[in-house]
């Protein structure tokens, strides 16, 4: 529902992410660390599994939006984009949600579990576009190496009921 937030309990950016309105979006994290930390959200529960969102999940959400009547090639009005003021807290604007999912476009790019091997490098895709972008299609992809970090890239955790 929200971008991954930094836990207010430990706040060390190496702990368990949160998915809640008003959380500070967890940026400057590598894809490999985001994947690891995503699995920690419900590690003590046997009925729920958490993991970083996959590109397949992202595309399913895009399809759902499209079936709901949204133009997935022009969702910039539903996100924090082209904003020199920068990143906002997760879910901070009711206008930036679609079908009760916040900030799926804009605010920050979000790593997915999709792996691309190019030139011998392990790259992971990111989706969604950031405050620095003025217009991109929701299904567009960027990529970066698994250890790269950026102030404009975060992640989103999916919860799976077993």
């Amino acid at each position: 529902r929200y971008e991954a937030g930094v836990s207010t309990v430990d706040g060390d950016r190496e702990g368990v992410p949160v998915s809640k309105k008003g959380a500070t979006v967890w940026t400057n994290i590598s894809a490999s660390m985001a994947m690891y930390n995503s699995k920690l959200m419900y590690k003590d529960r046997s009925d729920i599994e958490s993991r970083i969102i996959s590109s397949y999940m992202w595309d399913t959400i895009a399809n759902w939006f499209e079936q709901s009547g949204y133009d997935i090639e022009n969702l910039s009005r539903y996100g924090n984009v082209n904003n020199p003021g920068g990143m906002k807290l997760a879910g901070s604007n009711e206008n930036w949600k679609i079908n009760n999912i916040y900030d799926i476009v804009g605010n920050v790019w979000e790593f997915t579990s999709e792996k691309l091997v190019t030139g011998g490098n392990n790259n992971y895709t990111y989706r969604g576009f950031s405050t620095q972008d003025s217009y991109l299609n929701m299904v567009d992809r960027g990529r970066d190496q698994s250890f790269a970090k950026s102030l404009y890239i975060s992640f989103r955790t999916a919860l799976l009921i077993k």
Side-chain angles (χ1 to χ4, degrees):
R1 185 168 180 191
Y2 301 101
E3 299 143 320
V6 176
S7 171
T8 56
V9 175
D10 55 33
D12 64 1
R13 293 187 178 255
E14 296 296 330
V16 179
V18 296
S19 178
K20 69 178 188 176
K21 187 173 191 160
T24 299
V25 178
W26 193 339
T27 60
N28 208 23
I29 185 169
S30 67
S32 54
M33 203 60 177
M35 281 185 263
Y36 173 79
N37 287 2
S38 288
K39 293 177 182 178
L40 299 177
M41 282 183 78
Y42 288 92
K43 67 178 179 165
D44 297 330
R45 300 268 309 260
S46 61
D47 59 332
I48 299 175
E49 179 182 327
S50 59
R51 66 173 82 150
I52 196 168
I53 194 170
S54 71
S55 275
Y56 301 111
M57 291 174 186
W58 192 280
D59 290 337
T60 300
I61 293 167
N63 185 288
W64 179 42
F65 289 172
E66 194 168 43
Q67 297 301 315
S68 299
Y70 293 94
D71 178 5
I72 63 169
E73 293 183 17
N74 187 15
L75 293 175
S76 57
R77 68 186 174 121
Y78 297 104
N80 180 20
V81 297
N82 200 19
N83 180 2
M87 182 179 52
K88 306 295 182 197
L89 297 176
S92 64
N93 189 322
E94 289 295 312
N95 295 322
W96 296 339
K97 73 175 179 180
I98 302 171
N99 293 357
N100 215 26
I101 297 177
Y102 289 82
D103 305 309
I104 196 81
V105 292
N107 215 26
V108 291
W109 287 92
E110 298 174 29
F111 277 121
T112 71
S113 62
E114 182 182 6
K115 189 174 185 179
L116 300 170
V117 179
T118 55
N121 293 318
N122 289 328
N123 293 301
Y124 286 90
T125 62
Y126 47 81
R127 313 284 293 270
F129 52 101
S130 77
T131 62
Q132 306 303 303
D133 303 303
S134 59
Y135 171 80
L136 286 174
N137 184 318
M138 182 183 171
V139 295
D140 285 346
R141 290 168 166 82
R143 69 173 187 251
D144 216 330
Q145 294 180 338
S146 62
F147 57 84
K149 298 178 182 181
S150 170
L151 292 174
Y152 302 107
I153 305 176
S154 183
F155 60 104
R156 187 174 296 260
T157 300
L159 302 180
L160 306 167
I161 307 297
K162 293 183 179 180

